[in-house]
Structure formats: structure tokens, C-alpha cells
Amino acid sequence: MTDKKNLLVELFVEELPPKALKKLGEAFAGVLADGLRAQQLASADAAVTAYASPRRLAVQVAGVAAKAPDQAVSTKLMPVAVALAADGGATPALVKKLAALGHGADVVPQLKRQGEGKNEALYLDSIQPGATLAEGLQKALAEAIAKLPIPKVMKYQLADGWTSVDFVRPAHGLVALHGSDVVPVGALGLQAGRTTRGHRFEAATPTVEIHDADSYAAQLRDEGAVIASFAERRAEIVRQLDAAAAKEGLKPIDDDALLDEVTALVERPNVLLARFEPEFLAVPQECLILTMKANQKYFPLLDAQGRLTERFLVVSNIRPADASRVIGGNERVVRPRLADAKFFFDQDRKKTLASRIPALAKVVYHGKLGSQGERVERVRAIARHIGEQLGGASLAALADRAALLAKADLLTDMVGEFPELQGVMGGYYARHDGETEAVALAVEDHYRPRFAGDALPRTDAGLAGITVALADKLETLAGLFGIGQLPTGDKDPFALRRHALGVIRMLVEKALPLSVPALVSAAFAAFPAGHGQAQAEVLRFLDERLVGWLREQGYSAHEVDAVVALRTERWAELPQRLAAVRAFAALPEAPALAAANKRVGNILKKSDETTGGAVDAARLVEPAEAALFDALGRVAPQADAAFARGDYAASLQALAALKAPVDAFFDAVMVNAEDPALRRNRLALLGTLHAAMNRVADLSRLAT
């Protein structure tokens, strides 16, 4: 490559969709840079800087060549038998082929032969000129635009009044600079230049003439009042939010999605402090926070205890000398929103949750699964079953009451306005109705975990929350699998994978002593139809999610495979089993024992004879088999005792003493002896060994 310079490309457009801006900026920069690399105009390690603001997508690629290097190309033409006549001259077919490639018959002597016999063919060696930057950038730009993850395409007309263009928003400018030189490319009816526009209101000049690719960000900042980099703009918003909150002795709410969205709404952020009337704080803070974030994109401020205050932060796109009008305008705008929330809260409390339950019979849950009222009865039945297992009749009664009330807040005005508050508002209304704290917490928490990494239901007031949350998710899995609504590929409209992971996390992280097959069976028992095949599918689905989740927790594929292979019904034990397997694998004896275990398993699988009988000590004729029998007699009781008290690490580590006798056995003893009685006794000995070694995990899965 020669004449390397930094390259800048910018598309100037009307305001882009804020929730998509970050991905649009990353995709535009990434695809365009990859296109240049593919054509060898940029190196594989070329630095790429993405820019994205509400009105622009841009990218700077370092060290881009004006022209890609020429490439030596060997083109296969056709078999020699077809290409050459008997006298060695070119056939018409070869002449035609060469002409199509831009060559005459004079190149025939330069052609090369490769292959032998019928596979011998003629090849033409040539030099393919490298792409010029104008050619390569045009191709890369077209590809970057075509591959943008546009949430919704707009169709608009160009200035000629005839041509229509499909793009995310109307585009009004294109900049393409190689160093300080304009690259003659076009896109979306625009021709590249060096002119762009700055901030809609605060730019020093209407247009900004970009000197070269390296001055882009600085010129936009100084002349255009725009921070072009999404990451820099976001960091500046965080800095201003923290500084403004610190002055008040408060902290802004932590919300990455809101921060990304606000970053996509402003080009020159200016954080301002505003207030609302303190009487609104009588409304549950979740309602106020949600309305401020969702409707106004404000950052509520919390005190040291995490309680909402009457102060909030606004990220403005302008910096007037007197910000009082901007602050006052935002305070006027938020007031009706908070008043609506207060009205909904006051109205909802005029009816109890229990009084709303009959109306759930009129709310359709699913066409094939009936109403929300019917669903509530199924969740109650499952919750009672789980409650009996975890805490007897008292917990079953608590869980039944919570499950009865859990869906009633779906009929409230607040949840109708803010569906995200379902469960949360149910908890508030349950307390207002005089329900116990255990029931209120269970109603509030029964949707948890709502997303990956979300908190599990709280256990401060007992296990009712966990019980109802498990019942709710198991009912969903059983019902939708029962009617064939399984996730496919990346499509999971009912979030069944999330429900499955919620079940897994509760069972494992809360160490619940419950049998997974029994739970799934209880869930299906709540439905009129059994759906036996679907029950097996749900178990398989849970198993698959379990393996993936355990891998995400940092366990290796071998460790997870060894533990899961035993199909342990109580998943609360899995962390202890995995820790034990990891400790065992670190022992020097582990590789040999794992390999021996695998060998034993293979022998037992291939045997047609029963291997479950007792070992006859009188038939242990070889010293090595007698020694193994004696070692098992000493080690197995130790391992079993440790297993019984739940010390899985000690159980596995006790097996290390078997390495020497196992090795000696396989060196000296023929298992498949000709004497049937002797053979059966040795198989029984191996069966005993296999059982002793695989109580905690299938150790053969550790063999490499």
C-alpha cells in the first residue's frame, strides 16, 4: 500500500431514532471498515473510531491507502483436452474464453498446465489491479448503508422530486475525506464533500468546513458545538450528572438504557437541576421514577438510603445564559405526569385486590389456555404443592393466598398505564388492604427474576415469594409447552428461556430441597390435560438451560458434564458437587482414575451378563483383584459416609486411594475370563467399583 492517510466518512441526517443510535453508529463504522479491509485498502489492525450523534453517523479509519496493492491471480480456464487441438493450437472454445477475460490468442503460449490425465487444465496467470480508494470506498459505503440495523425504514423523495430513497431518516450531507482530499463517492442521492453542519441552535457558523480527517471531532466541538463521539458524550453526561447530584448530597438513579437514550437525544449536553412538589412523594417511588424516566427522560435523584427526593436532573441540548426558563419548562411538564400517577394510586386504593379477582375471569390469558382467572387457579394449585414441600401447611396457605392475589393488580389503573409495575403495585395495594407482609412481598416479587441478573424473590418474610414465583414460572412453561408453543431458534415470544433460567436460579441459589421432575409433574397436574410428551420436553428444556447457565458461572464443560450426567433431581446440590469435582480433578490421581472409570463403564456396557450381584470373595483368585476388593472395602464406606453427610469433596477425595489397586487390577487381571463364574464375579467387582466412583459425578466425563 502507498500514500496512507486517515479516512473520514460522515452521513449527515435528520434526527435518528434514539434507542437505535448506538447500534447504528457501531454498525456503520464496523461494516465500512471491514469493507475497506476486505479490499486491502486498510490493514487488519487499522484503528477505527465511530461517531454517532442525533444527526450524524461517522467513522474515521486510520492508515487507509489511496490504492490497494495489485494481486497475482491464477484463473482456471478449462481442461486441456477441450482447450487445445491435436496440433497444440487453441480451440475456438479457448479463444472465446480468453476474449471474455480481455485477452487474445497471443497469450496461449503463456498459459500453464496443472494436474494430470483427465484433470489436467489450463491456467492463466495475471495481475489484478488493486482497487482505488474511490472504488473501494464506494463499495464499502454502499454495504455499510445496506447493512445498517434500521428499526423502521423511511421512504422519502430526493430534491429532483422523482427519485425515492429508503433509509432510516432523510440524509442531507455526505463527507468523505482522505487526509484533506475529498474522495469522489456518492450515496442516497448525495455527492461527497467536506461540508457538514453543527448544533441546530448553538453552532458558531451554519456550516462547518472539515479541513481533514483528523480535525473532524475538534472542529465539530469548537465550531459546531457538537460532541460527535457517542462514548465521549455519554461520559460527559455521567460527569455532569454526578457533579450536579453531589452538590445536593444525592445520587442520580443508575440506568444504562436511559443514559444511552439521553446520549442519543443531545449533541451538547447540559445537565440542570429541577424540582417537583414534595407532596407527590406520597405516591410509591417506583411510579414516580418510572414516569420521569419513561415519559420525560429525566434522572430522579435519590438520598443515601435510596429514597426518591423531590429533585431531578434534566439533560438539556442547549446552554442558555439563563437556564431558569428551561428548568421551569421541565418542571411544568413533569407536574401533570406526577399528578396522573397520584390520581391512579388514589383511585386504585378504593378497591381491594380481592374484590378485583372475579373480573380476572374476563381477561384472556391465551386462546388455548383460558383466562387469567383460570391461570390463577393453576398457579395456586402448584404453589400449594411447593409450599407443602418447603414448609408444610402454613407455607402452603400463605402461598395460596399470595397466588390468589398476585394477578389482581393487572386490573388497576396504575398497571394499565405502566405495565412494568405489575407485581410492584400489587405489593403496595396488598399492604393497604391489610394483608400480611409475607403475602405482600410474595405478590410483589412473584415475577422475579424478570431479566438476566435480576434479584430473586426476597426471603425476609419467609419462602412465600419464592414459592409463588416458582409456581408462576412452572405454570407458564407447562401451559405453553403443552400447547406446542416452544421457542425456536432466536424466537422466544413468551420468554420461556427466561422463565426456565428463573426456575434454575431459584432452585440453585436459594438451595431449595425440591425434586425437579416432581415440580414439573405438579405443574402439568394443574392442567386438565396431562400432556405427557410435553412434560418430558420441559424437563429436557430445563436441562439444556441448566448446562448453559452452569457454564456461565465459570465451570468447565467437563465439570458440568460430569455432574449433570447423573441426572441429579435436586439441583440445590449442584454447586457442592461441582466444587467437589473441581477439587478432585486437581488431585494427581484424578486423570488415571477418570480414565479407569471410563474403561470400567465401557466394559460394563458391552457385557451381556448381569453385573449387579454381590462379589464372592472366594472367587478372587488373582492377588490384584483381591487387593482391589480389599481397597474398596476400606474406601467405599469412607466415601459413602462423606456423601451421606453432604461432604461431596471428601467423598471424591477418598477415591484417590483406589488408584494403585485399580491400575494393578487392569495390569494383571483378565476380566472376560473363560470361566463364566469367574467372569461374572469380576464384572460384579467392577460394578461395585463403578457405583462407588460415580455417586457424586460421572468421573469418566473428566477423561480427556
Side-chain angles (χ1 to χ4, degrees):
M1 296 185 191
T2 58
D3 197 17
K4 291 183 181 180
K5 300 176 185 176
N6 293 345
L7 174 74
L8 172 80
V9 179
E10 183 208 63
L11 266 175
F12 182 80
V13 297
E14 294 183 13
E15 275 75 5
L16 292 159
K19 291 185 178 179
L21 180 63
K22 187 177 181 182
K23 287 185 178 179
L24 288 172
E26 292 168 350
F28 182 74
V31 175
L32 190 143
D34 286 344
L36 296 175
R37 293 186 183 110
Q39 299 174 81
Q40 297 192 28
L41 287 163
S43 64
D45 59 352
V48 178
T49 306
Y51 299 98
S53 83
R55 299 202 295 161
R56 73 199 74 241
L57 298 174
V59 56
Q60 184 191 69
V61 184
V64 175
K67 181 180 179 296
D70 297 340
Q71 298 290 316
V73 178
S74 183
T75 306
K76 183 179 180 180
L77 300 174
M78 59 185 64
V80 171
V82 178
L84 302 178
D87 61 359
T91 63
L94 178 59
V95 172
K96 184 177 180 181
K97 178 70 173 179
L98 290 170
L101 296 172
H103 297 281
D106 56 308
V107 302
V108 172
Q110 303 169 25
L111 301 181
K112 292 183 178 179
R113 296 189 181 200
Q114 290 185 26
E116 296 180 357
K118 294 181 180 180
N119 294 324
E120 189 178 22
L122 289 183
Y123 289 79
L124 171 65
D125 290 343
S126 60
I127 300 296
Q128 180 176 314
T132 65
L133 178 56
E135 296 167 343
L137 179 57
Q138 185 66 65
K139 180 179 177 182
L141 180 58
E143 186 178 13
I145 291 173
K147 290 186 175 180
L148 278 179
I150 298 174
K152 190 174 183 180
V153 175
M154 284 185 64
K155 184 182 287 290
Y156 63 94
Q157 286 187 329
L158 299 181
D160 61 15
W162 295 97
T163 310
S164 292
V165 172
D166 292 335
F167 195 52
V168 59
R169 292 290 186 270
H172 298 298
L174 175 63
V175 174
L177 294 176
H178 187 228
S180 59
D181 301 324
V182 174
V183 185
V185 294
L188 304 173
L190 304 166
Q191 293 302 310
R194 64 173 68 249
T195 303
T196 188
R197 301 180 203 175
H199 195 286
R200 191 181 287 278
F201 307 111
E202 301 201 345
T205 58
T207 59
V208 180
E209 297 284 330
I210 306 300
H211 304 319
D212 56 51
D214 293 334
S215 68
Y216 174 73
Q219 281 190 263
L220 270 182
R221 182 184 62 248
D222 299 338
E223 300 173 36
V226 171
I227 301 176
S229 166
F230 188 96
E232 286 183 24
R233 207 163 56 254
R234 191 181 193 273
E236 173 61 15
I237 292 173
V238 171
R239 186 193 68 76
Q240 291 189 37
L241 288 173
D242 289 343
K247 283 183 181 179
E248 303 295 314
L250 303 172
K251 60 179 180 179
I253 196 149
D254 186 14
D255 190 321
D256 283 341
L258 176 63
L259 192 53
D260 284 344
E261 189 173 359
V262 170
T263 303
L265 287 168
V266 298
E267 290 190 311
R268 190 188 190 197
N270 180 30
V271 172
L272 303 170
L273 176 70
R275 301 170 186 267
F276 59 81
E277 288 76 4
E279 55 261 32
F280 287 122
L281 293 174
V283 179
Q285 70 177 43
E286 292 89 345
C287 309
L288 304 181
I289 290 171
L290 185 58
T291 192
M292 284 193 284
K293 291 196 308 182
N295 294 316
Q296 308 304 139
K297 316 306 175 191
Y298 297 154
F299 287 84
L301 289 175
L302 309 177
D303 64 18
Q305 287 72 44
R307 294 188 300 255
L308 180 67
T309 68
E310 76 281 5
R311 285 160 283 184
F312 61 94
L313 298 176
V314 179
V315 183
S316 174
N317 195 33
I318 56 176
R319 297 186 181 185
D322 180 7
S324 60
R325 289 189 178 182
V326 178
I327 294 170
N330 281 283
E331 290 176 343
R332 285 193 299 275
V333 168
V334 78
R335 194 171 296 119
R337 295 288 188 179
L338 302 182
D340 285 345
K342 185 176 186 305
F343 175 79
F344 294 146
F345 185 56
D346 291 341
Q347 289 297 110
D348 286 342
R349 288 182 296 170
K350 292 178 180 179
K351 291 179 65 176
T352 65
L353 286 178
S355 70
R356 298 178 187 273
I357 293 168
L360 288 173
K362 299 176 183 178
V363 179
V364 175
Y365 167 55
H366 189 285
K368 294 182 179 180
L369 295 172
S371 68
Q372 284 286 1
E374 292 171 295
R375 185 183 182 214
V376 164
E377 291 306 309
R378 295 193 293 266
V379 174
R380 289 178 69 189
I382 302 167
R384 287 194 299 269
H385 171 83
I386 298 172
E388 286 282 357
Q389 302 298 309
L390 291 177
S394 60
L395 179 56
L398 270 178
D400 180 59
R401 180 65 180 174
L404 175 67
L405 300 174
K407 305 298 179 185
D409 70 350
L410 296 176
L411 299 174
T412 61
D413 291 338
M414 188 71 83
V415 173
E417 180 71 13
F418 300 112
E420 303 93 330
L421 293 177
Q422 58 189 355
V424 173
M425 296 314 302
Y428 278 105
Y429 297 144
R431 291 183 185 90
H432 179 265
D433 295 346
E435 300 289 343
T436 65
E437 183 63 14
V439 168
L441 273 179
V443 170
E444 183 177 344
D445 286 1
H446 83 279
Y447 288 105
R448 291 185 179 184
R450 296 171 185 256
F451 51 85
D454 189 22
L456 297 181
R458 289 162 287 183
T459 53
D460 315 29
L463 294 175
I466 284 281
T467 301
V468 180
L470 269 177
D472 185 65
K473 288 170 174 55
L474 287 166
E475 189 278 340
T476 301
L477 290 166
L480 291 164
F481 267 76
I483 60 172
Q485 295 287 344
L486 283 67
T488 56
D490 59 350
K491 295 181 180 179
D492 188 7
F494 298 103
L496 297 184
R497 294 187 180 96
R498 176 168 57 79
H499 284 293
L501 284 173
V503 171
I504 291 165
R505 284 190 58 203
M506 284 186 276
L507 291 173
V508 176
E509 293 179 24
K510 294 295 185 179
L512 301 180
L514 298 170
S515 162
V516 176
L519 283 176
V520 173
S521 178
F524 276 93
F527 290 82
H531 299 300
Q533 181 179 350
Q535 191 167 327
E537 289 173 345
V538 169
L539 283 169
R540 184 162 53 249
F541 185 70
L542 287 169
D543 281 343
E544 290 169 356
R545 304 280 82 72
L546 173 68
V547 169
W549 181 75
L550 290 174
R551 291 291 307 278
E552 290 173 2
Q553 307 313 301
Y555 298 106
S556 71
H558 286 307
E559 290 166 347
V560 172
D561 194 22
V563 170
V564 173
L566 294 190
R567 324 307 289 177
T568 304
E569 293 187 359
R570 295 176 183 268
W571 290 355
E573 303 172 356
L574 294 177
Q576 291 81 10
R577 288 177 182 255
L578 284 161
V581 167
R582 178 167 289 180
F584 172 78
L587 298 175
E589 298 89 351
L593 283 172
N597 190 51
K598 186 173 184 179
R599 183 175 179 182
V600 169
N602 290 335
I603 292 171
L604 296 177
K605 283 178 188 175
K606 293 176 182 178
S607 173
D608 295 329
E609 300 180 71
T610 178
T611 59
V615 179
D616 183 354
R619 294 186 182 277
L620 300 174
V621 296
E622 296 287 346
E625 59 183 331
L628 177 57
F629 179 73
D630 291 341
L632 267 174
R634 292 191 306 273
V635 170
Q638 298 173 26
D640 290 348
F643 182 89
R645 64 177 182 268
D647 190 348
Y648 299 130
S651 181
L652 281 182
Q653 288 170 11
L655 301 176
L658 294 175
K659 179 186 180 299
V662 167
D663 289 346
F665 177 87
F666 281 117
D667 287 342
V669 178
M670 174 69 70
V671 176
N672 291 316
E674 292 185 7
D675 181 348
L678 201 57
R679 183 171 62 248
R680 283 193 297 271
N681 200 54
R682 289 173 179 171
L683 288 171
L685 177 60
L686 291 185
T688 304
L689 173 65
H690 194 259
M693 293 181 73
N694 293 286
R695 294 198 69 183
V696 175
D698 182 352
L699 299 184
S700 68
R701 307 298 178 105
L702 299 177
T704 54

